[in-house]
């Protein structure tokens, strides 16, 4: 959906746009919360006259509010919402790739994206090569005549590598290709890829944007008018759209995104510091640590370092599995970005599809999604779990 007229909040801060853009009081009733338009179809009165709304697969006012608001937060001219993050990714692949095409992906990235490429898109004769995008020269070297795009995550999931989005976009554009960024981990509050030169931004709104682990959703933002027109057709023609209640929940979550992210970042930073000092911990992967290889770049590219912390256990795979079973406040769960703290073991959870390949997750690595509970309770739980190993 593309905003019809000018946004009266266009010049406002991020926090204000999160609360107000496309969320003006309902003209029919004055409702200050965007209503849940729980309807499949809309009545018209003349077959020859265009109606603003016809059928909810093609467009729904609750979904439109979310699409316009998220587009504003990402600095995109156009936004499209989906039933899940992977449905959004699939829409981007349909938009940009044809049989015979090739794309470059990071060496570390979300396991579901890997599965979509390896188990669905390879059968459509779309191939991919994985490279360490922390080195933009590696992207140039991997670029083939059939390469159409580079798929970026930064920070990556689960190793939290930092990729120079401006540099990688520059390489892709120099080769006549495009740069797509999965911005799920930082959220638009910490990083806006289109402003850094990327062409398309994609989200699992299930994570920080929704923020409460109570809804699935996806989003695609882009500013090229021609591609947006095609994506609008694809969205309606293939139909992986979210329902109005789901859109309402994400829209509600977005209102507190900035506040939540600030607390996620502060708590994660405290967790990273505590883990660094614990003898049961091997290495700590957090871009906020001065020793992290991407620290300086993250300082330039992001507003903060995010709520995710990954680390290895000195005792290896067995210790990692015992740790995951020993936390109490941190539930063992394969998601991230909610208000509650979660611990995940990527090799058997989020990155299971990569097992047995050279992209497999480190068996000694544990991933934390640090929530916004009281930091003392978070630290105490991690302490008791580590101390008991
Ligand atoms: C969760 C996630 C996805 C997939 O989103 P769903 O909403 O679960 O389909 C994509 N990318 C990243 C980085 C994720 O964490």
């Amino acid at each position: 959906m593309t905003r019809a007229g000018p946004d009266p909040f266009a010049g406002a801060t991020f926090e204000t746009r999160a609360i107000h853009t496309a969320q003006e009081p309902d003209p029919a009733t004055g409702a200050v919360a965007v209503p849940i338009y729980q309807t499949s179809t809309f009545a018209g009165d003349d077959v020859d006259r265009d109606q603003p709304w016809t059928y909810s697969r093609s467009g729904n006012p609750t979904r439109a509010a979310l699409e316009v608001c998220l587009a504003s937060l990402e600095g995109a001219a156009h936004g499209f919402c989906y039933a899940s993050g992977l449905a959004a990714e699939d829409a981007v692949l349909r938009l940009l790739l044809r049989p015979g095409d090739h794309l470059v992906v990071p060496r570390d990235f979300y396991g579901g994206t890997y599965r979509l490429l390896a188990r669905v898109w390879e059968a459509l004769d779309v191939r991919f090569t994985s490279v360490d995008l922390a080195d933009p020269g590696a992207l140039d070297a991997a670029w083939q005549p059939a390469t159409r795009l580079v798929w970026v995550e930064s920070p990556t999931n689960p190793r939290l590598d930092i990729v120079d989005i401006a540099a990688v976009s520059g390489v892709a554009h120099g080769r006549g290709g495009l740069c797509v960024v999965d911005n799920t981990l930082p959220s638009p509050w910490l990083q806006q890829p289109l402003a850094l030169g990327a062409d398309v931004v994609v989200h699992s709104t299930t994570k920080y944007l929704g923020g409460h682990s109570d809804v699935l959703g996806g989003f695609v933002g882009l500013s090229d008018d021609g591609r947006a027109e095609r994506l609008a057709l694809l969205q309606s023609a293939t139909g992986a759209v979210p329902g109005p209640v789901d859109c309402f929940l994400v829209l509600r979550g977005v209102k507190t995104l900035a506040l939540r992210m600030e607390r996620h970042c502060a708590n994660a930073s405290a967790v990273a510091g505590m883990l660094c000092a614990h003898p049961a911990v091997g290495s700590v992967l957090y871009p906020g640590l001065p020793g992290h290889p991407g620290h300086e770049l993250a300082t330039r590219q992001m507003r903060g370092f995010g709520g995710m912390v990954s680390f290895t256990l000195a005792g290896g795979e067995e210790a990692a599995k015992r740790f995951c079973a020993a936390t109490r406040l941190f539930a063992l769960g394969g998601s991230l970005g909610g208000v509650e703290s979660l611990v995940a073991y990527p090799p058997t959870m989020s990155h299971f599809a990569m097992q047995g390949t050279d992209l497999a997750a480190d068996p000694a690595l544990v991933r934390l999604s640090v929530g916004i509970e009281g930091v003392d309770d978070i630290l105490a739980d991690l302490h008791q779990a580590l101390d008991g190993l």
Side-chain angles (χ1 to χ4, degrees):
M1 171 64 64
T2 305
R3 197 185 167 88
D7 177 7
F9 298 99
T13 56
F14 184 101
E15 295 90 327
T16 300
R17 285 181 286 125
I19 293 168
H20 291 292
T21 288
Q23 299 163 84
E24 295 90 347
D26 180 45
T29 64
V32 294
V34 172
I36 299 168
Y37 286 90
Q38 188 70 34
T39 184
S40 57
T41 191
F42 299 83
D45 51 13
D46 183 337
V47 291
D48 287 324
R49 197 163 47 231
D50 273 349
Q51 298 171 221
W53 308 104
T54 55
Y55 189 67
S56 280
R57 175 161 34 71
S58 306
N60 174 284
T62 316
R63 187 175 98 215
L66 178 62
E67 291 175 329
V68 170
C69 178
L70 291 181
S72 167
L73 299 184
E74 280 291 3
H78 315 280
F80 300 89
C81 283
Y82 294 87
S84 70
L86 281 172
E89 294 189 12
D90 191 60
V92 170
L93 299 172
R94 284 172 197 267
L95 174 69
L96 301 178
L97 298 170
R98 296 286 167 275
D101 286 349
H102 172 261
L103 70 157
V104 178
V105 300
R107 97 184 145 154
D108 181 56
F109 63 116
Y110 174 61
T113 306
Y114 169 81
R115 187 178 55 184
L116 177 63
L117 291 171
R119 307 281 286 278
V120 178
W121 280 82
E122 274 204 339
L124 302 171
D125 194 27
V126 167
R127 291 160 307 109
F128 63 96
T129 305
S130 168
V131 304
D132 180 4
L133 292 177
D135 168 18
L139 170 61
D140 203 48
W143 204 276
Q144 305 173 9
T147 309
R148 297 288 168 260
L149 63 92
V150 56
W151 188 277
V152 175
E153 286 183 19
S154 184
T156 63
N157 182 358
R159 297 191 58 83
L160 307 178
D161 295 341
I162 301 296
V163 174
D164 188 334
I165 295 171
V168 162
S169 299
V171 170
H173 296 158
R175 294 291 204 138
L178 299 174
C179 175
V180 177
V181 177
D182 179 345
N183 206 34
T184 300
L185 256 64
S187 88
W189 168 250
L190 295 181
Q191 169 178 288
Q192 288 148 25
L194 300 188
L196 295 165
D199 302 282
V200 178
V201 60
V202 47
H203 277 281
S204 168
T205 61
T206 311
K207 312 297 170 55
Y208 287 105
L209 288 166
H212 296 73
S213 305
D214 53 10
V215 63
L216 286 180
F219 172 76
V220 178
L222 73 178
S223 289
D224 180 88
D225 296 339
R227 282 185 209 117
E229 202 177 313
R230 173 84 188 151
L231 193 57
L233 170 82
L234 283 171
Q235 186 193 38
S236 178
T238 65
V241 293
V245 175
D246 290 354
C247 293
F248 172 87
L249 287 171
V250 177
L251 203 49
R252 179 182 167 117
V254 164
K255 290 177 193 284
T256 55
L257 178 68
L259 277 175
R260 287 187 285 108
M261 290 313 295
E262 282 176 2
R263 183 62 66 89
H264 281 297
C265 291
N267 286 356
S269 172
V271 164
M274 174 256 162
L275 292 174
C276 284
H278 200 287
V281 172
S283 53
V284 181
L285 309 178
Y286 185 63
L289 294 171
H292 185 283
H295 177 68
E296 238 174 88
L297 175 57
T299 305
R300 269 186 282 130
Q301 186 165 270
M302 302 171 73
R303 195 200 297 254
F305 302 109
M308 304 298 296
V309 181
S310 294
F311 67 101
T312 62
L313 278 295
E317 177 172 351
E318 286 315 308
K321 289 181 171 168
R322 279 204 306 277
F323 174 84
C324 290
T327 55
R328 296 178 192 139
L329 182 66
F330 280 77
L332 180 60
S335 189
L336 60 95
V339 291
E340 63 286 302
S341 293
L342 292 178
V343 56
Y345 185 62
T348 63
M349 297 170 69
S350 55
H351 291 65
F352 181 68
M354 288 149 151
Q355 263 201 343
T357 77
D358 45 357
L359 296 175
D362 180 349
L365 185 122
V366 165
R367 188 190 76 186
L368 301 177
S369 173
V370 181
I372 62 170
E373 302 96 337
V375 69
D376 292 343
D377 300 321
I378 290 173
L379 295 177
D381 187 41
L382 297 174
H383 255 300
Q384 67 79 23
L386 288 168
D387 293 348
L389 288 179

